[in-house]
Amino acid sequence: MTDEIIDNGSEQPPEDAHYRIRRGAGGRFAGPFAAIGRAWRERKVLRRLTYVAGAGLVVFGGVWVAFTHDLPDANKLLEYQPPLPTMVRGLDGEIIYSYARERRVQLRYVDFPKPLLDAFLSAEDKTFWTHGGVDFTGLAGAVVDYASKLGTGGRARGGSTITQQVAKNILIGDEYSVTRKLKEMVVARRIESVLTKPQILELYLNEIPLGRQSFGVQAAARAYFGKDVDQLQLHEAAFLAILPKAPERYGRKQYEGMAIERRNWVLDQMVTNGWASRADADAAKAQPLGLIPRRVETYPSGNGYFIEEVRRRLIDQYGEKAEDGANSVYAGGLWVRTSLDRQMQDAVRDSLRAGLLRYQGNRAWSRPIAHIDDMSTWQSQLIVSNKTVDYKDWRVGVILDRSGSTGRIGFSDGNTATLTNISELAKVGDLVAAAPVSSDSYSVRTIPEVSGGMVIEQPGTGRIMAMQGGFDSGLDSFNRAVQAERQPGSTIKPFVYATGLQYGMTPATQVLDGTFCVYQGGALGNKCFRNFGGEGGAGSHTMRWGLEQSRNLMTVRIANDTGMKRVVKTFKTVGIGDYKPYLSFALGAGETSVARMVNAYAALANNGVQFASSPIDYVQDRNGKVIWKPDNRRCDTCNMAEWDGKPMPRVVRRGKQVLDSGTAYQVVHMLEGVVTRGTAVVLRDLGIPMFGKTGTTNGPTDVWFVGGTQDYVGGVYLGYDTPRSLGGYAQGGRIAAPIFKQVVQATRDRWGTQPFVAPPGIRMVRIDRASGKQVMGAEPGNDPKAAVIWEAFKPDTEPRQYTPEDEFARRRDALVAEIRGVREARQAAASASAAEQQDFAEQQGGVY
């Protein structure tokens, strides 16, 4: 059988086969694509449109990349730390201040009451729970509004969702432009993919600016109503919800009608959304706004100098602004526990003020607090000056006009009153302190021109318990307790004596209280030291007597015999100052601060162990972690899971031994005599075991007292900021010691009654107070001037027994010293040249 061959005259397959092959290759879409291809090849317009569309897509892609490449990452919000103020607590844990430039309080989502949430959602974003970050219906309305206002200068309504507002407030900024709005939309979409709706709402309600320096609803609730958010009524929650639109307008009296109208609109929206009943909304509408007057946070008064010193130290360590670090003072949200003792602080403030006013006495008004030149804006300038006084019922005001000794005074609240007792030196525009004398009349009060500083420290820890740096921190922020550099006068002498004791002397060592001159060479010749008041010498006496009576000649002789290099090394070791080895520094010619002197005396009270003084106990970050404390000792093996059989760990001693313990106690024991029978005898009737030393600088320009007990050590100085004479009668025992005494009287139960405890090795020996010789068969009496006393000696340094020959020698030396003193006085009176009368101490800036 022959195969049948079909020949159609061509090698191509049949038409139906060709169709089937093409269809199998292109499928059912081959036809349309082929048609489009033929149309694109045949029609130029289509080809051009294709090119334009492609170029448009490329351009759009480029613009999109350029537009979005630098947008902030929404993941930052997961670790976002809002700026928070630093809260300061006192010794008792109570909040005493807040370092804040904005009102901010952070709450969690669960802390916001539902009516408040509903009010904000009704006012700002009713579709919040359903949209993906952008409400396109609201956006379309905003676009139309924007177009209608082009060229008019008016600001279009935002159309932003709450998510967009979070993007604007935290990540993007508040620039008014279409570009910002587009960025806001993109970032909002990203936020919705990162955070939950409650997290977004929590961020929003904590960060939204609401006027009166308030950020977040909790801060605003306190600023406008004096309440926390959980105490707000419905009409108050609705008012807060209107603030994002115009935070600085709706809270003002002149816009009260607009605020009520907008608040009522929010209440209606809550009803429409099913989030409030009509009856509740109508009742809320009937309520007035109920806003409280604008006010600042109030904290316990009288702590200004202490608080400022804490702030200064924190800024030095952590910075001031957010860009300075995560723990900055005004943004880091720190919690600071201080050592401020309110009872002690009040006593220090009141006592120093009383001392300043006592010295001021009847001295006439001499100068204004400040002066205003442009009286057309006196109220605003008075507010900006930030001058206040927190003393009794005194106020700071500006003299508006005057006629003779009467006139008018204006205050920062805009009120005015009659002013009396105006000094001839006062002018219109002067800021003065005034006290009310009737309902519409004030009288000028004099702020003491003299000033001073005072510090109380706990010697066993270095904690500063109280600090006052002037009459009132509202008048002057310069803290004289830590910032003023003054000559300490005789308060430095105990450390001269400590150096002598360290190098072989004892409290019973006899030292000549006689003329001591230094040859300066050439035309200068001899320059001689003198005792206070120009007194000559009094013969040989014990070191104790020299310190109790503050004898300059004995102090200089001890310094010279011991070596001034050793003396100034002691000054540096205890932190008083770094001085050159000049004898005048042994009398307090160098400069130091009250705080440093108090810390040095604290080492004496603590048997030579010194702790760095600090007003801060510890600092916590916003999460409660302790990031600083003065005690940085480590003990890594103290918390072992189980005992490893090795000796118990011992934490190293925190304090630094700056003086030999025996030497420190000997000095304290002698300084107790300063209180019982020396220059600080004004303190004796307190009946408390106390040590201390007075000081009066050359002039006299400053008067001092430093001392205390084992529990507390304090120091005070008084003087003019620009040093000048306080008057010939001014002495530390007359002016400074009574200030310290008033503090102790006001806090008597805090100072303790236990005597100072001698360290191991110290031997108490009965001696004759005048000669320093050991006495047998006699007991020390209770009379402060008893002939026999107990004296402290280091091992094997006790003096020999007192004999009749010693008594004869003592009387002989006293007679010779008296004759010598008369002779020196006559020689001084006969001197014809003032230059010859100047002593070496005066040449070197010396002191009494």
Side-chain angles (χ1 to χ4, degrees), residues 254-294:
Q254 60 265 41
Y255 300 112
E256 182 175 355
M258 296 174 57
I260 291 177
E261 181 181 354
R262 177 71 178 174
R263 180 201 68 180
N264 293 347
W265 175 84
V266 171
L267 291 167
D268 288 337
Q269 290 296 306
M270 294 180 70
V271 173
T272 301
N273 297 329
W275 294 336
S277 68
R278 172 53 61 188
D280 289 342
D282 290 342
K285 287 182 180 182
Q287 297 292 327
L289 287 182
L291 308 185
I292 64 175
R294 180 186 291 264

Side-chain angles (χ1 to χ4, degrees), residues 19 50 64 82 300 318 351 378 387 453 511 568 570 576 599 630 726 757 769:
Y19 173 76
T50 303
W64 179 260
Y318 298 113
S351 300
W378 66 265
K387 298 294 184 181
V511 179
V568 297
T570 299
I576 294 174
N599 191 235
L726 294 170
V757 178
R769 186 168 58 87

Side-chain angles (χ1 to χ4, degrees), residues 26-39:
R28 55 183 177 151
F29 299 108
F33 282 139
I36 293 173
R38 286 194 300 272

Side-chain angles (χ1 to χ4, degrees), residues 304-305 308 367 369 386-388 447 451 468-480 483 721:
Y305 288 109
E308 177 58 23
R367 61 179 183 178
I369 297 169
N386 201 30
K387 298 294 184 181
T388 60
I447 301 294
S451 197
Q468 186 73 8
F471 187 82
D472 194 296
S473 60
L475 299 172
D476 181 7
S477 62
F478 182 67
N479 190 343
R480 295 158 189 83
Q483 293 176 290
D721 287 343

Side-chain angles (χ1 to χ4, degrees), residues 86-229:
T86 290
M87 307 302 295
V88 184
R89 298 182 184 271
L91 183 67
D92 57 3
E94 292 297 319
I95 294 177
I96 57 175
Y97 202 75
S98 170
Y99 303 123
R101 296 195 174 108
E102 300 169 345
R103 299 171 185 258
R104 288 181 182 269
V105 181
Q106 292 292 113
L107 298 180
R108 298 171 303 161
Y109 175 77
V110 295
D111 296 324
F112 299 114
K114 190 174 186 305
L116 181 68
L117 295 174
D118 294 340
F120 271 89
L121 293 178
S122 296
E124 294 293 318
D125 190 359
K126 65 181 181 181
T127 62
F128 172 76
W129 297 109
T130 58
H131 65 63
V134 179
D135 180 2
F136 291 100
T137 302
L139 178 64
V143 171
V144 173
D145 189 51
Y146 179 82
S148 66
K149 292 179 179 177
L150 280 175
T152 65
R155 187 172 178 121
R157 65 184 179 90
S160 295
T161 64
I162 282 179
T163 312
Q164 288 176 265
Q165 293 183 56
V166 169
K168 175 186 69 174
N169 293 333
I170 300 178
L171 298 177
I172 297 177
D174 197 23
E175 174 192 0
Y176 180 64
S177 66
V178 174
T179 302
R180 192 267 295 169
K181 181 63 68 175
L182 294 174
K183 291 181 177 180
E184 185 182 285
M185 294 167 58
V186 175
V187 174
R189 296 286 293 180
R190 294 179 180 178
I191 291 174
E192 291 275 348
S193 68
V194 171
L195 301 180
T196 65
K197 290 288 188 177
Q199 287 175 323
I200 296 171
L201 202 51
E202 178 181 306
L203 274 175
Y204 173 77
L205 292 176
N206 278 323
E207 290 298 306
I208 188 72
L210 297 175
R212 294 195 179 183
Q213 296 180 295
S214 301
F215 288 77
V217 293
Q218 170 64 16
R222 290 180 179 174
Y224 289 98
F225 301 109
K227 299 179 178 180
D228 293 323
V229 290

Side-chain angles (χ1 to χ4, degrees), residues 705-781:
F705 176 82
V706 187
T709 67
Q710 286 190 128
D711 298 301
Y712 296 103
V713 171
V716 57
Y717 95 88
L718 185 147
Y720 291 102
D721 287 343
T722 302
R724 69 174 192 261
S725 176
L726 294 170
Y729 75 94
Q731 294 181 32
R734 291 177 178 171
I735 298 177
I739 295 174
F740 181 83
K741 181 178 183 178
Q742 184 176 336
V743 173
V744 178
Q745 288 173 326
T747 57
R748 185 183 179 87
D749 60 325
R750 310 292 300 282
W751 293 82
T753 58
Q754 296 299 317
F756 290 92
V757 178
I762 288 293
R763 296 188 60 186
M764 303 304 294
V765 178
R766 290 167 294 188
I767 68 167
D768 177 77
R769 186 168 58 87
S771 68
K773 297 297 179 64
Q774 187 174 167
V775 175
M776 297 295 184
E779 293 296 328

Side-chain angles (χ1 to χ4, degrees), residues 7 127 138 175 210 214 230 332 462 492 497 503 505 551-552 623 626 642 653 669 681 712-713 736 768-769 796:
D7 185 6
T127 62
E175 174 192 0
L210 297 175
S214 301
D230 60 348
I492 208 169
Y497 281 70
Y503 288 94
M505 295 183 176
R551 306 296 283 187
N552 287 353
N623 300 314
V626 175
E642 58 182 64
R653 193 173 188 178
H669 194 54
V681 70
Y712 296 103
V713 171
D768 177 77
R769 186 168 58 87
D796 301 322

